[in-house]
Amino acid sequence: MLPLHSDAVVLTALCAGLGSAALVDSARRRIPNAISLGTAASGVVLAASGASGITLTSSLRGFFLGFALMLPGYGLGGTGAGDVKLFAAAGAVVGAGQIVPAFLLTAIAGGLLAVGIAWWRGRLLRTFRLTARLFGRSAGAKVDIEAPGEHNRF
């Protein structure tokens, strides 16, 4: 049996965790804690065993950094708590050195996807206006930016 390369181990863990989360989230509009916990645990175990090529310290730092990077989006109402927990889990798998680039690429891809969906639904200008309102509000102020059942999600 050939030994697995650490990149293949990391990619397998990410595909299993994030892929299953995407499937469940698209069907149920929520990410179960078991998926996030299992992904985080696999990242920590792989790091502790040396199979992922990152240290246990990097895995734990990646977890907390991933959590910290996503928390403001949750506070602004742009992401759900499941997204925050799942990104923290991804940080445990990829480590502290890769979670910031992963966050930037995820933010760019998510932004492009949101713009594409808004354009497809004929709501692009309204979405830009509501986004400006979201970022223009004072801290702690609640702004209802969407009517019930109205959003740019699939």
Side-chain angles (χ1 to χ4, degrees):
M1 184 167 150
L2 295 173
L4 289 175
H5 189 269
S6 62
D7 289 343
V9 170
V10 169
L11 185 59
T12 301
L14 280 177
C15 286
L18 303 182
S20 60
L23 290 172
V24 172
D25 189 26
S26 65
R28 299 185 185 158
R29 303 297 309 147
R30 66 180 313 270
I31 301 169
N33 288 336
I35 292 175
S36 297
L37 182 60
T39 303
S42 69
V44 170
V45 167
L46 290 170
S49 68
S52 65
I54 63 170
T55 65
L56 179 59
T57 301
S58 179
S59 177
L60 295 173
R61 285 183 180 163
F63 176 86
F64 289 109
L65 187 54
F67 184 85
L69 287 168
M70 289 293 286
L71 202 55
Y74 174 72
L76 290 171
T79 62
D83 300 314
V84 176
K85 293 180 277 187
L86 186 63
F87 201 76
V93 176
V94 301
Q98 295 299 316
I99 197 63
V100 172
F103 174 77
L104 294 174
L105 291 172
T106 300
I108 291 167
L112 291 173
L113 184 62
V115 167
I117 292 170
W119 175 78
W120 180 53
R121 292 186 173 168
R123 298 187 45 199
L124 186 59
L125 291 178
R126 183 167 191 273
T127 298
F128 283 142
R129 280 195 303 272
L130 292 175
T131 302
R133 280 182 55 198
L134 178 68
F135 286 103
R137 70 182 179 167
S138 61
K142 183 162 174 74
V143 177
D144 185 22
I145 61 170
E146 293 180 335
E150 179 186 32
H151 52 69
N152 280 336
R153 301 177 188 125
F154 277 111

